[in-house]
Amino acid sequence: MRKYLNPKKKDWDELLKRPMNRTSELKDKVSGVLEDIRINGEVAVRKYSKMFDRSAPAEIAVSCDEIEESVKLISEDLKNAINLAAKNIRKFHETQRQTYTKTETVKGVVCWQKAVPIQKVGLYIPGGTAPLFSTVLMLGIPAKIAGCKKIILCTPPDSEGNINPAILFAAKVAGITDIFKVGGAQAIGAMAYGAGKIPRINKIFGPGNQYVMTAKQLISLYDVAVDMPAGPSEVAVMADKDSDPEFIASDLLSQAEHGPDSQVLLVTNDESIVDKTELEIEKQLSMLSRKDIAAKSLSHSVAIVLDSEEKMADIINEYAPEHLIISMNDYQKMSEKIVNAGSVFLGKYSPESAGDYASGTNHTLPTNGWAHAYSGINLDSFIKKITFQEISEEGIKNLGPVIETMAEAEHLGAHKNAVTIRLNKIKKQ
Amino acid sequence: MRKYLNPKKKDWDELLKRPMNRTSELKDKVSGVLEDIRINGEVAVRKYSKMFDRSAPAEIAVSCDEIEESVKLISEDLKNAINLAAKNIRKFHETQRQTYTKTETVKGVVCWQKAVPIQKVGLYIPGGTAPLFSTVLMLGIPAKIAGCKKIILCTPPDSEGNINPAILFAAKVAGITDIFKVGGAQAIGAMAYGAGKIPRINKIFGPGNQYVMTAKQLISLYDVAVDMPAGPSEVAVMADKDSDPEFIASDLLSQAEHGPDSQVLLVTNDESIVDKTELEIEKQLSMLSRKDIAAKSLSHSVAIVLDSEEKMADIINEYAPEHLIISMNDYQKMSEKIVNAGSVFLGKYSPESAGDYASGTNHTLPTNGWAHAYSGINLDSFIKKITFQEISEEGIKNLGPVIETMAEAEHLGAHKNAVTIRLNKIKKQ
């Protein structure tokens, strides 16, 4: 870790800089794939599955039998864990339902919002060695609670055309049965434009490699909504003299093992905790299976020592971490100062991995500074709020003249006329 | 209007097709402007203001005096109207505040959401002949209610370097004082990267011409969040035999006058209403100041006659109009079937222009089919929800084994270790 002692505020920006790839090389390639799928549908999807994933099963829809079979293939222990995690995620996301009331803004003018589920959503789950079944729960459960009518899941099969049973089991627990064996940019294209059995959907969720992310970016401009912009995963830990270096090290490492581009940040008002944490990191690192990845990520990580809690909060708010662990004595007080973060973990017994899997909060969170403006995935992500208004004869009489005046001042005569015509007819009655 | 009698469902897609521009000509041009601003800041902004807007005042920040002066320049009538509209918009958006409770998902594991305002937001208001002061209210008022710390407004000045007094007055009413005389793509660039007095902000809101929209699109990929994707404005009217053709015509025209690319759709189960409406349109059109624009927009508009209310709802939900006026006898029943729309106007005395200006609902709404997945602007647009979790010693003992099992199954050893290390320390105590 690079260590900075009381860096000046004007240097924070430079010091917190994330690696940023603005090149568009990938864009042309992915753009071609998407355009091909838009025009040629299923045939194009199969072509790219063969080309990129070397696996394009004749039947891409997962059968009920395959889903049932998955139940037998995973341990009781894992099944129980997935079930409990699902229960917590469901419980927390269910609290996110809101109530809406009608408001009479002016006598005879009643306005309200109504939450309506996004009708058709698509979830993307990457393949690879580590099956991200936890993400199936994090996306599928709130989609179900929101009441989305159609929820499909795309994930690449292995070379034998199978999907990891833990992914199928998690889907079953979440209540998702429309599962397709397609991955990569071609899966995003298929969901954006429809292709064979894969229906065109309204919003796409989920992580993926750079091809998937570029495809999501491109379709979000013209065709289909996406959950949020992408970036490498991050954690920031805030520590003071009472923090436990062993815990801090384990939290930093759990982020660092995600990938060599993972971002890890330690902010403290006690310099000695940095040194102690570094010693602990070395100790723990050697025992990790993904130590090479973690070491690479740690090599560009940063520890910052600041002389006040105020500055600690300021620098975190400037960075806007995806995950923030406040491992300080008075974590409550510090947490009240935090305005930019994805998900915040309070106290020494709240590791990030609790939220990654099972506490109930969502793990799909804004990275790359997007926590300045984005929420993590929550029930809102699967609904839209439609506004309604009902205006009575009395209402338009009360409000009409105001509308006429404003429409005229904006030079929109027909807007005015839509009111005048109604007011005149009322007068004539 | 093109009229279709009971078109088959398979043809709806074609019939509802919106004009779509996928070309990227503009992109390269705008991309160059943004990159220049990112690197050269204020100097570049001034350069493009001179080049494109022919107006780059030496002092771009609007002074308090200018704002106060605006009060004297507009009529009492308009001031009163703006004040009343602001009151209604404030009242309705204030009802959108939500409450959040803490949930104990497992004994010792407490999770909650907290709504935090997006700290710095930028509002863009286009210039031109029609001063869009109503949009100042629609964006500024919810930003204030949300509690955004910094709210800036950019709008292009006229050739004398002045801003329309109605815009300044509306900003004053909304409580916005950081106003800058900059327009076009360069205003978007200045807000995205910071330029001189214009601070870098976290999310950009507001309409604009194709340069502004392209700039918003481009910055949304890497730099700053934006409110929603753009498209031409639209209205759909649902009518039955009891509807008033005079009112329908006035509503269709009020949409059509926005621009030649405005989308206008009439859906009914009574063919005669189409013919009566067309007669009324001709009558009213001749009296409108913007009749040429409206006529052009109407030339590509569509009337669809369907033989059931079910099909009427289906076709509207497939189209997902920005504005929907249900001018039918039993509008309540029909409104319950609507799942895709931006804002819905119920009954014969609820013209779209009420929501455009003064009823209290927001007029910044999803166009171009984005109502399938997006809400219109509302209080949510100016906040993020951060999740928090606080896990006690008991909590991690309860939840820890589940996390360990799941992390192991995803091959993430360090994620597991962050829990194991804590459980071991608790055991040793």
Side-chain angles (χ1 to χ4, degrees):
Chain A
M1 296 182 99
R2 285 174 289 139
K3 188 164 82 175
Y4 297 90
L5 287 178
N6 286 304
K8 291 211 181 74
K9 203 152 189 171
K10 68 171 181 50
D11 299 327
W12 288 6
D13 213 19
E14 189 54 36
L15 195 151
L16 298 174
K17 204 166 250 173
R18 292 158 164 108
M20 173 80 118
N21 183 1
R22 284 177 181 273
T23 62
S24 57
E25 280 162 52
L26 265 188
K27 254 185 213 160
D28 294 339
K29 197 170 172 182
V30 174
S31 187
V33 170
L34 294 175
E35 194 57 11
D36 194 359
I37 294 171
R38 194 166 72 87
I39 294 162
N40 300 307
E42 204 179 357
V43 177
V45 172
R46 285 189 64 79
K47 181 174 86 188
Y48 295 111
S49 286
K50 272 186 200 151
M51 196 184 296
F52 300 138
D53 290 346
R54 310 248 166 89
S55 182
E59 177 53 68
I60 61 161
V62 172
S63 69
C64 294
D65 286 353
E66 282 175 274
I67 297 174
E68 288 315 315
E69 197 60 32
S70 73
V71 181
K72 300 175 200 151
L73 293 172
I74 60 175
S75 72
E76 281 307 305
D77 224 30
L78 182 55
K79 275 191 266 189
N80 290 337
I82 290 176
N83 273 317
L84 187 78
K87 196 177 136 202
N88 294 343
I89 295 165
R90 196 169 289 125
K91 189 168 177 182
F92 182 57
H93 287 78
E94 257 164 8
T95 66
Q96 295 168 18
R97 284 185 208 276
Q98 289 144 19
T99 51
Y100 301 90
T101 50
K102 295 190 175 184
T103 306
E104 192 166 37
T105 50
V106 165
K107 190 96 183 113
V109 179
V110 181
C111 305
W112 67 97
Q113 288 182 301
K114 182 174 154 187
V116 177
I118 297 174
Q119 300 295 294
K120 293 180 275 180
V121 299
L123 318 181
Y124 183 80
I125 304 293
T129 48
L132 292 186
F133 57 84
S134 58
T135 305
V136 178
L137 304 178
M138 294 293 176
L139 300 177
I141 290 173
K144 272 281 170 189
I145 295 173
C148 301
K149 290 278 171 294
K150 189 93 188 159
I151 306 172
I152 70 169
L153 190 157
C154 287
T155 189
D158 63 20
S159 54
E160 267 118 69
N162 296 317
I163 291 174
N164 187 292
I167 287 181
L168 292 182
F169 180 74
K172 182 182 153 80
V173 169
I176 297 166
T177 50
D178 285 330
I179 306 171
F180 300 99
K181 298 173 181 175
V182 189
Q186 62 272 26
I188 304 303
M191 294 193 273
Y193 306 118
K197 288 186 179 172
I198 301 175
R200 179 182 178 171
I201 55 90
N202 307 132
K203 189 171 181 180
I204 297 177
F205 296 80
N209 62 20
Q210 52 182 348
Y211 294 93
V212 169
M213 289 307 172
T214 304
K216 282 177 67 185
Q217 225 182 38
L218 288 170
I219 56 137
S220 75
L221 296 180
Y222 300 114
D223 302 295
V224 169
V226 300
D227 46 2
M228 65 182 83
S233 193
E234 318 157 336
V235 73
V237 176
M238 300 177 93
D240 60 16
K241 67 178 173 38
D242 298 320
S243 307
D244 187 322
E246 213 182 331
F247 294 176
I248 300 174
S250 74
D251 292 328
L252 297 177
L253 283 166
S254 77
Q255 188 56 52
E257 78 170 339
H258 268 300
D261 57 355
S262 275
Q263 302 291 303
V264 164
L265 183 68
L266 172 61
V267 174
T268 180
N269 53 7
D270 181 73
E271 195 185 342
S272 75
I273 207 89
V274 178
D275 306 324
K276 288 181 217 157
T277 301
E278 290 217 279
L279 284 176
E280 266 302 325
I281 287 178
E282 264 178 60
K283 233 164 81 182
Q284 294 178 26
L285 188 60
S286 62
M287 295 178 291
L288 294 178
S289 56
R290 294 165 71 95
K291 57 174 163 281
D292 293 346
I293 295 173
K296 210 158 182 182
S297 154
L298 284 169
S299 70
H300 56 76
S301 67
V302 172
I304 301 170
V305 184
L306 292 164
D307 56 18
S308 80
E309 296 198 350
E310 212 52 59
K311 281 186 199 159
M312 288 173 69
D314 285 350
I315 206 164
I316 287 294
N317 284 327
E318 185 159 331
Y319 183 66
E322 180 191 12
H323 304 95
L324 171 64
I325 301 175
I326 309 184
S327 198
M328 297 170 71
N329 209 359
D330 195 349
Y331 55 78
Q332 208 62 59
K333 187 175 142 208
M334 179 55 82
S335 79
E336 278 153 28
K337 300 185 210 281
I338 300 304
V339 291
N340 294 323
S343 194
V344 183
F345 299 75
L346 300 176
K348 63 180 176 176
Y349 294 122
S350 303
E352 188 203 306
S353 44
D356 286 340
Y357 289 111
S359 61
T361 59
N362 211 291
H363 79 195
T364 305
L365 297 165
T367 54
N368 212 24
W370 290 110
H372 281 109
Y374 279 82
S375 313
I377 294 291
N378 61 76
L379 202 58
D380 291 346
S381 315
F382 298 90
I383 63 166
K384 319 155 289 186
K385 296 178 181 178
I386 303 180
T387 48
F388 287 81
Q389 60 202 284
E390 187 177 1
I391 304 180
S392 67
E393 194 181 305
E394 185 187 3
I396 198 71
K397 272 158 71 182
N398 287 332
L399 199 60
V402 169
I403 303 169
E404 290 179 308
T405 302
M406 291 175 79
E408 193 171 347
E410 284 193 358
H411 310 316
L412 293 172
H415 281 64
K416 180 184 177 186
N417 194 48
V419 171
T420 311
I421 253 176
R422 285 167 166 92
L423 294 180
N424 285 343
K425 193 158 275 187
I426 291 170
K427 265 185 225 152
K428 274 191 227 146
Q429 278 169 2
Chain B
M1 295 182 101
R2 284 174 290 139
K3 187 164 81 175
Y4 297 90
L5 286 180
N6 285 305
K8 292 212 181 73
K9 202 153 187 169
K10 67 171 180 51
D11 299 326
W12 288 6
D13 213 20
E14 190 54 36
L15 197 148
L16 297 173
K17 205 166 249 174
R18 294 159 163 105
M20 171 81 118
N21 183 0
R22 284 176 182 274
T23 60
S24 57
E25 281 162 51
L26 263 188
K27 255 184 212 162
D28 293 341
K29 196 170 172 184
V30 173
S31 187
V33 170
L34 293 175
E35 195 56 13
D36 194 358
I37 293 170
R38 193 166 71 86
I39 294 163
N40 300 309
E42 202 178 358
V43 177
V45 172
R46 286 190 63 79
K47 181 173 85 188
Y48 294 111
S49 287
K50 272 186 202 153
M51 198 183 298
F52 300 136
D53 289 345
R54 311 247 165 89
S55 182
E59 177 54 69
I60 60 162
V62 172
S63 68
C64 294
D65 286 352
E66 283 175 272
I67 297 174
E68 288 315 315
E69 197 60 32
S70 72
V71 182
K72 299 176 201 152
L73 292 173
I74 60 174
S75 72
E76 282 307 306
D77 224 27
L78 183 55
K79 274 191 268 187
N80 290 337
I82 290 177
N83 273 318
L84 186 77
K87 196 178 136 202
N88 293 345
I89 296 165
R90 198 169 287 125
K91 189 169 177 182
F92 183 57
H93 287 78
E94 256 165 8
T95 66
Q96 295 168 17
R97 286 184 206 275
Q98 290 144 17
T99 51
Y100 301 91
T101 50
K102 295 190 176 185
T103 306
E104 192 166 35
T105 51
V106 165
K107 190 96 185 108
V109 178
V110 181
C111 305
W112 66 97
Q113 288 182 302
K114 183 175 154 185
V116 177
I118 297 174
Q119 300 295 294
K120 292 179 274 182
V121 298
L123 317 180
Y124 184 79
I125 304 293
T129 46
L132 292 185
F133 57 85
S134 59
T135 306
V136 178
L137 303 179
M138 294 291 175
L139 300 177
I141 290 173
K144 271 282 170 189
I145 295 172
C148 300
K149 291 276 170 297
K150 187 96 188 158
I151 305 171
I152 70 168
L153 190 157
C154 288
T155 190
D158 64 19
S159 56
E160 265 120 67
N162 296 318
I163 291 175
N164 187 292
I167 288 182
L168 292 183
F169 181 74
K172 183 182 151 83
V173 168
I176 297 165
T177 49
D178 285 329
I179 305 169
F180 300 99
K181 299 174 181 174
V182 189
Q186 62 273 24
I188 305 302
M191 292 193 275
Y193 307 119
K197 287 184 181 173
I198 301 175
R200 180 181 176 172
I201 55 90
N202 307 132
K203 189 171 181 180
I204 296 177
F205 296 79
N209 61 21
Q210 50 182 348
Y211 294 94
V212 169
M213 288 307 174
T214 304
K216 281 176 68 185
Q217 226 182 35
L218 290 170
I219 56 136
S220 75
L221 296 180
Y222 301 114
D223 302 295
V224 170
V226 301
D227 46 2
M228 66 182 83
S233 195
E234 319 157 336
V235 74
V237 175
M238 299 176 94
D240 60 15
K241 64 176 173 43
D242 297 321
S243 305
D244 187 322
E246 211 181 333
F247 293 177
I248 300 174
S250 75
D251 291 330
L252 296 177
L253 284 166
S254 76
Q255 187 57 51
E257 78 170 339
H258 269 301
D261 57 354
S262 276
Q263 303 290 303
V264 164
L265 183 68
L266 173 61
V267 174
T268 180
N269 53 6
D270 181 72
E271 196 185 341
S272 74
I273 207 89
V274 178
D275 306 326
K276 288 181 215 155
T277 301
E278 289 215 282
L279 284 176
E280 266 301 326
I281 286 178
E282 264 178 58
K283 230 165 83 183
Q284 293 178 26
L285 188 59
S286 62
M287 294 178 293
L288 294 177
S289 56
R290 293 165 72 95
K291 56 175 163 285
D292 294 345
I293 295 174
K296 211 159 183 180
S297 154
L298 284 168
S299 69
H300 56 74
S301 66
V302 172
I304 300 169
V305 184
L306 293 164
D307 56 18
S308 80
E309 296 198 351
E310 213 51 58
K311 282 186 199 159
M312 288 173 69
D314 285 350
I315 207 164
I316 288 294
N317 284 328
E318 186 160 329
Y319 184 67
E322 180 192 13
H323 305 95
L324 172 64
I325 301 175
I326 309 183
S327 199
M328 297 169 72
N329 210 358
D330 195 351
Y331 55 78
Q332 206 62 59
K333 187 175 142 211
M334 180 55 82
S335 79
E336 277 153 29
K337 299 185 210 279
I338 300 304
V339 291
N340 294 323
S343 196
V344 184
F345 300 76
L346 300 176
K348 63 178 176 176
Y349 294 122
S350 303
E352 187 203 308
S353 44
D356 286 341
Y357 289 112
S359 62
T361 60
N362 211 291
H363 77 195
T364 306
L365 296 164
T367 55
N368 211 25
W370 290 109
H372 281 109
Y374 280 82
S375 313
I377 293 291
N378 62 75
L379 201 58
D380 290 347
S381 316
F382 298 90
I383 62 166
K384 317 155 291 186
K385 295 179 180 178
I386 303 179
T387 49
F388 288 80
Q389 61 200 283
E390 186 177 1
I391 304 181
S392 67
E393 193 180 305
E394 185 187 4
I396 197 71
K397 272 158 70 181
N398 287 331
L399 198 61
V402 169
I403 303 168
E404 290 178 308
T405 303
M406 292 176 77
E408 194 170 344
E410 285 193 359
H411 310 319
L412 293 173
H415 281 63
K416 180 184 177 185
N417 194 48
V419 172
T420 311
I421 254 175
R422 284 166 166 94
L423 294 181
N424 285 343
K425 193 159 274 185
I426 292 171
K427 267 185 222 151
K428 274 190 225 148
Q429 277 170 2

